[in-house]
Amino acid sequence: MKPARFTYHAPRELDEALELLREHGDEAKVLAGGQSLMPMLNFRLAHIDHLVDINRIGSQWGRPAFGERTVTIPALVRQRQLERSPEAARLLPVLTEALHQVAHPQIRNRGTICGSLAHADPAAELPSVLTVLDARFTLASARGVRTVSAADFFLFHLTTALEPDELLLEVSVDRPGANQFAAFREFATRRGDFALAGVAVVCEVDDGVVTACRIAAAGVAPTPQRLTDTELLVIGQPLGPDLGAAAEATARAQVDPTGDIHASAAYRARLTGVLVKRALADIQHKREKADA
């Protein structure tokens, strides 16, 4: 199928793009990578009057910045670009782990980090990862620029804090400390499919004891779900099989997913617990490797 008729815009400056969004509001959609938007338009699942292609607004928006304290990912950074970045693998390895599992290489070659976040599919990998990394989202419009936390950005299934005239300009993450370790785990029935469930875990570990922990699950709620009960259980405990087993049970009880043709609600809940246990085991292995 082909999309319904729309007007195509290709602004060459950010201000021009923001003015188009101000003018057309709900009638417009932003095109960066288009790996979610274009199929929706082609299948007539979405209808728009104006398409604002931001790929010409400036090369600076396609380069990640690895600062002394912060990693910044602008709107046009491709998923494959960050997946292959040695700096990203060194500073944000959990993001690299998750990117390896996003769809297929052809999709990652074109899809953008910010585009996936703005699309906000709760089963996608990146929203849960940026949630546990406590990312900051910079939203720009002709009215000005504002910053929103990850906790406030994802509102519901395919719904974010972005206003109709706003563009997700960049996302920023603090560089991790030496005692921070993270892991991402998911399970899909076929390589490249959306996962039945996934988890992202970040822990700070001192002398084998977890001093801080953030866990977010994907595919079990309308937004990335922070597993706060499991986080509280993990904090103050030594890494090991006993902690993994306890965290598995707590995570399993904490989620209340829906079932569908791919998996029952009970299976998704059980899977979430197993993935949390495996992610904690990954973190223990990474810490031991760092100490070796």
Side-chain angles (χ1 to χ4, degrees):
M1 294 181 67
K2 298 297 180 182
R5 187 178 297 273
F6 57 79
T7 302
Y8 174 79
H9 304 272
R12 294 187 174 274
E13 300 291 340
L14 176 60
D15 288 346
E16 183 184 356
L18 297 180
E19 180 59 27
L20 285 166
L21 293 177
R22 184 201 65 78
E23 179 181 355
H24 299 295
D26 284 327
E27 299 175 347
K29 281 289 187 183
V30 173
L31 173 68
Q35 300 307 293
S36 297
L37 177 61
M38 295 313 298
M40 293 175 67
L41 293 177
N42 285 340
F43 284 110
R44 308 279 178 114
L45 298 175
H47 297 267
I48 59 172
D49 293 324
H50 298 270
L51 186 68
V52 181
D53 184 345
I54 64 171
N55 282 281
R56 296 171 179 82
I57 63 172
S59 59
Q60 71 270 26
W61 302 109
R63 294 193 297 265
F66 300 96
E68 292 184 3
R69 297 184 178 181
T70 305
V71 177
T72 301
I73 306 168
L76 294 176
V77 174
R78 310 293 169 184
Q79 295 165 7
R80 191 69 159 170
Q81 178 183 353
L82 212 59
E83 179 188 3
R84 291 179 166 180
S85 165
E87 293 90 349
R90 179 172 59 88
L91 297 175
L92 297 174
V94 67
L95 183 57
T96 302
E97 288 179 25
L99 284 168
H100 287 325
Q101 301 185 63
V102 173
H104 302 281
Q106 296 90 333
I107 301 296
R108 302 196 295 272
N109 283 341
R110 189 64 187 170
T112 62
I113 303 292
C114 287
S116 178
L117 296 170
H119 184 58
D121 192 315
E125 293 83 358
L126 299 184
S128 62
V129 172
L130 272 296
T131 293
V132 296
L133 290 176
D134 203 18
R136 299 173 296 279
F137 295 73
T138 301
L139 317 183
S141 71
R143 296 175 284 111
V145 176
R146 64 189 179 110
T147 301
V148 176
S149 68
D152 295 328
F153 183 75
F154 301 105
L155 302 180
F156 195 65
H157 183 79
L158 305 182
T159 305
T160 70
L162 279 165
E163 297 292 340
D165 64 340
E166 286 184 317
L167 169 70
L168 178 52
L169 192 62
E170 62 187 23
V171 59
S172 301
V173 178
D174 290 337
R175 288 178 56 157
N179 66 334
Q180 185 180 104
F181 301 89
F184 179 83
R185 283 278 190 156
E186 72 172 24
F187 177 78
T189 53
R190 293 181 301 179
R191 176 70 176 174
D193 282 1
F194 276 114
L196 299 181
V199 298
V201 182
V202 172
C203 292
E204 294 179 13
V205 185
D206 290 323
D207 294 328
V209 175
V210 180
T211 58
C213 180
R214 293 192 298 275
I215 304 173
V220 296
T223 63
Q225 182 180 350
R226 282 287 296 273
L227 303 184
T228 52
D229 290 349
T230 311
E231 294 170 356
L232 291 173
L233 170 75
V234 170
I235 294 172
Q237 301 298 318
L239 290 169
D242 290 343
L243 178 61
E248 175 186 3
T250 303
R252 179 176 179 177
Q254 191 174 353
V255 297
D256 185 23
T258 58
D260 54 29
I261 62 172
H262 303 291
S264 68
Y267 180 83
R268 278 195 167 93
R270 180 184 177 191
L271 179 59
T272 301
V274 170
L275 293 174
V276 167
K277 179 176 69 174
R278 291 177 179 176
L280 288 172
D282 291 342
I283 287 174
Q284 181 182 8
H285 174 73
K286 291 176 182 179
R287 180 192 169 274
E288 292 170 350
K289 184 177 179 180
D291 290 344

